[in-house]
Amino acid sequence: MYLIYKLLVYIAYPFLYIYYKKYSHSSNDFIDESFVLYKSSPFEFNPDKKILWMHGVSIGEALSAVNFSVFLNTNGFDVFFTVKTQAAYEILKSKGLKVIYVPFDV
């Protein structure tokens, strides 16, 4: 069953991208980052620090994690965020944090 799911997702992936690009009211950055298949990290990390990935779907969740991420960053962690909304993306970017839109799961 898992293989069938994976196969169907990979077949549907380009069609979903075209659909979102044509009919979605989301920004092009959201669509392009959501449909990217990362082969390596989009960020450069400090090799002396542990990497921590934090996810906030909305602006409230993302903002609630900002102070915690600053604390972690000063205590040996390199933190990056994934978000689903444009408002959360813009606020985290304005604070100088590493942030991308969460990619679709394949």
Side-chain angles (χ1 to χ4, degrees):
M1 191 59 139
Y2 175 74
L3 290 175
I4 293 171
Y5 169 78
K6 284 294 243 193
L7 179 65
L8 290 175
V9 168
Y10 279 111
I11 290 170
Y13 203 75
F15 297 105
L16 286 171
Y17 177 78
I18 292 167
Y19 175 81
Y20 269 87
K21 202 71 163 166
K22 187 171 184 175
Y23 297 110
S24 176
H25 299 291
S26 300
S27 72
N28 281 336
D29 289 341
F30 166 77
I31 295 167
D32 291 340
E33 284 189 23
S34 294
F35 280 94
V36 72
L37 295 173
Y38 290 106
K39 291 184 179 179
S40 62
S41 172
F43 306 115
E44 290 192 22
F45 293 105
N46 183 339
D48 298 331
K49 292 186 172 186
K50 298 173 193 154
I51 299 170
L52 183 67
W53 172 7
M54 298 180 87
H55 175 70
V57 174
S58 65
I59 191 168
E61 292 174 0
L63 283 176
S64 67
V66 168
N67 289 338
F68 185 56
S69 72
V70 171
F71 169 77
L72 289 171
N73 208 357
T74 59
N75 287 295
F77 287 89
D78 210 347
V79 180
F80 78 97
F81 285 88
T82 54
V83 294
K84 194 68 177 165
T85 64
Q86 186 174 356
Y89 181 88
E90 290 172 0
I91 286 181
L92 292 178
K93 263 297 199 211
S94 71
K95 294 185 177 292
L97 298 169
K98 297 173 183 171
V99 60
I100 59 171
Y101 290 108
V102 66
F104 281 104
D105 183 18
V106 292

